[in-house]
């Protein structure tokens, strides 16, 4: 970074940085340096004399906010940077609600429920109402409540909306409004908000408390928003209200990377920015600094098929680069073998790190095959979207105590901690406690010390146990608001009995849980030191407010970094890797079958493919299988239409010497033509007309898929198996690729083997 930060920018970037007044729309193509532009724009504001506390910068990930703040700090120094209002939508608005939430009836110590907390509360509500959770699935209810909140529909509005009642009846969930109402009531009583409440309640606060809105309009002279194409209606309204007074709003994004409509994101927010601010300035960042020319040009041919977009011409001045590889496999198992083998070969032949590779897929369920094949080759890998560190049982157990110390009215934390470690307080007692609290319109916490006054519900021994639990919490609460997070966290881990419980365990699982507790305390120590260094609150309450909004990427451990990354394409947005494998490129997987009936949804799937391809710096590989197991049956698949949308001059088919595969009976694949003169490669299924039962002989691979030469097997052949020994083929049955051989082994008897995996050696 030069002493003059503007020298680090190209001309379009520079113009986007220095034009600081009025509404600005910065369209930043993939790899165009939008983070640098947003960062330098803030630096430029500071250099122009704008006080740091007057600048609000909103991002979608903690990682992006942290990276930007670190860059800014290096230029302007920590004393200035610490006063910036910079963070994710949820973290910034949670901060505002902690200061202003009492206007809505919340205490500043409110708990933030994560998705598992929300679903747990929904399950308990269903149980209390005697509602079948097979019909009213907690996940479905949670999604409906989330969608309502993101559309600014409160539980009261939902109950009074006739169209919503009709929809719930037609979907056989007529009690949905009652569940939503009870969910909202229980959250409020527990002094808790879920993620969507942070946005909904901020909107309500600004709507109903005009003095509060005016206060923050005056405070923020400049509002900057990253990834604007991913904002939902609720976020859009908050941003519009906050910037209404000064009109100095700058939004950065790329409509070609709008992929989160399932979360409520509205691409219209960025496409129609010009309608909200007619005097806006438009800046286009079109130079891609990340990827090769080959990848950028191929991505352009894909996104050109979308009609609803802001026109731009993304280009790269990097090396030309290699063509995009296309891998075809017979089955999904072979696809996993092909990809893991290619990663292994490239890693050692090109002296790369494992972290240079990423496998991207449309759905989480696709990860299994790649996990298995990578494990067989001892390739270290990390799966995103699985069980995160903060979702592990032992971690949530400790956090539930943290939450009770900060907010003892937190019902979900009480449920989790009241009998762990075991105190002889059973589920029946807990259920009675909650039912009594509901009947008296009280909180379960307020009744713990009064349990002896309800002999019809609790006998003397049970009442004593409940009181002892409340004593534990009350003792741990002493000085919680003046003690640093690490000291208090260690005190809670010991005082609750959890540390002793885990330390006494002898199984490998127990040892792992104890190590995870140690890792949690290490993380809290790091948080405490960083907060104290930066002059920020270092209390347990501040830590909980931070950890409630963390993601997988935020909690990545150092030892996880040099590993192959496996993740969904949605999770990969904002990341980059030297080599990217986009797998499962089949019309039954990608685009998602649920999107093909809608032009709008198909365009979003295409944007998703565009995002996947532009994660690659040096090389991209598209992979698909002609056959894939679904519900135990091997079903035929067609290559994705998205492969056919890539200009063929950017594609290479390495398994066939660079030529496109034969279409193998797939008449709808114009970019993958068939010719009679070209024999299919060794692991390509031949034309359908040739897939007939072979009664006497068959040609199959005697090695792992795609690695060995073909041998002709026939009934009566003498063969040898590495495990079963020598034998004679008694029968051959089935069509390729599922041809089986029944072999009579000399020592092991008769075995039926799938020939493509059997590794038989002819004698």
């Amino acid at each position: 970074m030069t002493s003059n930060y503007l020298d680090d920018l190209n001309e379009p970037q520079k113009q986007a940085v220095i034009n600081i007044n009025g509404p600005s729309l910065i369209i930043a193509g993939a790899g165009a340096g939008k983070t640098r532009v947003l960062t330098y724009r803030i630096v430029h504001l500071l250099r122009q004399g704008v006080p740091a506390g007057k600048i609000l910068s909103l991002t979608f990930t903690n990682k992006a906010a942290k990276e930007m703040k670190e860059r800014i700090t290096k230029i302007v120094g920590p004393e200035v940077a610490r006063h910036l209002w910079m963070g994710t939508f949820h973290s910034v608005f949670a901060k505002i609600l902690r200061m202003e939430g009492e206007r809505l009836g919340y205490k500043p110590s409110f708990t933030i429920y994560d998705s598992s907390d929300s679903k747990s509360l929904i399950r308990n509500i269903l149980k209390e109402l005697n509602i079948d959770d097979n019909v009213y699935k907690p996940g479905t209810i949670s999604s409906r409540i989330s969608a309502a909140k993101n559309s600014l529909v409160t539980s009261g509005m939902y109950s009074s909306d006739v169209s919503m009642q009709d929809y719930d009846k037609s979907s056989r969930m007529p009690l949905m409004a009652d569940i939503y109402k009870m969910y909202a009531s229980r959250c409020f009583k527990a002094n808790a908000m879920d993620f969507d409440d942070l946005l909904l309640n901020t909107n309500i606060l600004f709507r109903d408390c005009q003095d509060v809105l005016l206060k923050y309009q005056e405070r923020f002279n400049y509002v900057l928003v990253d990834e604007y194409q991913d904002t939902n209606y609720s976020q859009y309204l908050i941003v519009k209200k906050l910037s209404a007074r000064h009109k100095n709003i700058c939004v950065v994004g790329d409509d070609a990377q709008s992929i989160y409509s399932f979360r409520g994101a509205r691409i219209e927010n960025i496409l129609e920015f010009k309608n909200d601010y007619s005097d806006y300035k438009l800046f286009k960042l079109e130079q891609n600094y990340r990827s090769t020319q080959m990848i950028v040009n191929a991505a352009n041919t894909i996104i050109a098929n979308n009609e609803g977009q802001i026109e731009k011409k993304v280009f790269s001045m990097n090396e030309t680069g290699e063509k995009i590889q296309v891998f075809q496999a017979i089955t999904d198992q072979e696809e996993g073998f092909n990809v893991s083998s290619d990663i292994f070969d490239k890693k050692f032949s090109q002296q790369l790190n494992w972290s240079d590779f990423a496998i991207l897929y449309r759905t989480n369920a696709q990860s299994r095959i790649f996990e298995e094949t990578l494990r067989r080759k001892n390739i270290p890998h990390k799966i995103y979207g699985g069980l995160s560190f903060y979702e592990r049982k032992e971690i949530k157990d400790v956090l539930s105590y943290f939450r009770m110390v900060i907010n003892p009215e937190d019902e979900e934390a009480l449920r989790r901690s009241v009998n762990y470690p075991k105190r002889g307080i059973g589920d029946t007692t807990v259920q009675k406690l909650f039912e009594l609290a509901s009947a008296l319109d009280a909180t379960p916490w307020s009744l713990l010390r009064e349990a002896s006054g309800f002999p019809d519900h609790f006998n003397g021994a049970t009442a004593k146990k409940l009181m002892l639990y409340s004593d534990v919490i009350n003792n741990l609460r002493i000085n919680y608001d003046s003690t640093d997070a690490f000291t208090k966290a260690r005190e809670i881990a010991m005082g609750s009995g959890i540390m002793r419980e885990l330390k006494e365990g002898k199984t490998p699982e127990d040892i792992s849980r104890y190590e995870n507790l140690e890792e949690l305390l290490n993380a809290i120590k790091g948080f405490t030191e960083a907060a104290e260094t930066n002059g920020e609150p270092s209390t347990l309450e501040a830590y909980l407010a931070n950890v409630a909004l963390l993601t997988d990427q935020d909690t990545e451990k150092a030892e996880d970094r040099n590993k192959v990354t496996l993740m969904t394409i949605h999770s990969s947005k904002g990341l980059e890797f030297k080599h990217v494998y986009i797998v499962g490129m089949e019309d039954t997987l990608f685009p998602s079958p649920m999107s093909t009936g809608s032009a709008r949804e198909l365009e979003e799937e295409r944007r998703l493919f565009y995002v996947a391809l532009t994660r690659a710096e040096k090389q991209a590989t598209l992979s698909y299988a002609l056959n894939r197991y679904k519900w135990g049956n091997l079903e035929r698949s067609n290559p994705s239409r998205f492969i056919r949308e890539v200009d063929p001059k950017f594609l290479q088919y390495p398994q066939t010497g660079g030529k496109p595969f034969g279409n193998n009976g797939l008449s709808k694949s114009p970019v993958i033509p068939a010719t009679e003169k070209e024999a299919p490669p060794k692991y390509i299924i031949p034309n359908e007309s040739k897939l007939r039962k072979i009664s006497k002989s068959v040609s199959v691979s005697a090695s792992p898929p795609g690695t060995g030469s073909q041998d002709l097997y026939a009934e009566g052949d003498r063969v040898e198996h590495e495990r079963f020994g020598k034998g004679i083929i008694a029968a051959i049955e089935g069509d390729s690729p599922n041809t089986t051989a029944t072999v009579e082994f000399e020592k092991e008897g008769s075995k039926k083997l799938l020939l493509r995996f059997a590794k038989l050696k002819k004698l």
Side-chain angles (χ1 to χ4, degrees), residues 535-553:
E536 297 171 349
S538 62
T539 61
L540 189 65
E541 184 174 354
Y543 171 75
L544 273 183
N546 175 69
V547 79
L549 301 168
L550 292 180
T551 65
D552 270 5
Q553 292 177 31

Side-chain angles (χ1 to χ4, degrees), residues 513-712:
R513 292 187 187 104
Y514 185 73
E515 290 172 345
N516 285 336
L517 175 58
E518 179 186 18
E519 181 62 28
L520 174 66
L521 292 175
N522 290 340
I524 298 173
K525 181 67 172 178
F527 166 84
T528 302
E529 291 177 347
E532 290 174 347
T533 300
N534 296 326
E536 297 171 349
S538 62
T539 61
L540 189 65
E541 184 174 354
Y543 171 75
L544 273 183
N546 175 69
V547 79
L549 301 168
L550 292 180
T551 65
D552 270 5
Q553 292 177 31
D554 300 319
T555 58
E556 183 182 31
K557 298 179 184 178
E559 59 266 30
D560 285 337
R561 286 173 190 156
N562 191 24
K563 295 183 179 181
V564 175
T565 298
L566 284 75
M567 57 171 41
T568 64
I569 302 170
H570 282 101
S571 299
S572 73
K573 191 161 174 296
L575 303 179
E576 54 190 42
F577 306 90
K578 286 184 179 178
H579 293 264
V580 169
Y581 296 80
I582 309 170
V583 299
M585 290 295 300
E586 298 142 37
D587 264 343
T588 51
L589 278 176
F590 193 24
S592 167
M594 293 185 291
S595 70
T596 53
S598 163
R600 179 187 176 91
E601 291 176 358
L602 185 59
E603 288 207 346
E604 177 153 336
E605 289 288 300
R606 189 175 288 112
R607 293 194 294 269
L608 190 60
F609 181 39
Y610 176 84
V611 166
L613 191 56
T614 53
R615 298 311 93 199
E617 297 175 9
K618 298 294 184 183
Q619 190 173 54
T621 299
L622 311 180
S623 174
Y624 65 91
L626 290 172
N627 298 271
R628 186 173 295 273
Y629 276 100
K630 294 179 180 177
W631 300 102
N633 298 315
L634 196 63
E635 296 184 5
R636 190 67 182 263
S637 303
N638 286 337
S640 170
R641 69 187 69 189
F642 292 154
I643 296 179
R644 303 195 293 271
E645 289 180 356
V646 180
D647 191 317
K649 67 184 178 184
F650 301 126
L651 300 178
Q652 181 182 23
Y653 301 80
Q655 297 150 312
T656 56
K659 298 179 181 179
F661 291 123
N663 74 357
N664 302 306
L666 307 179
S667 60
K668 296 181 180 179
S669 301
V671 175
I672 310 177
T675 64
E676 291 298 324
K677 295 180 181 179
E678 288 181 350
K682 62 187 176 185
Y683 40 102
I684 304 304
I685 293 181
N687 290 332
E688 293 286 351
S689 61
K690 299 179 183 178
L691 290 178
R692 297 192 177 96
K693 184 174 180 180
I694 304 174
S695 60
K696 293 296 180 183
S697 65
V698 64
S699 178
V700 298
S701 172
S703 305
T707 64
S709 61
Q710 292 186 342
D711 293 315
L712 188 67

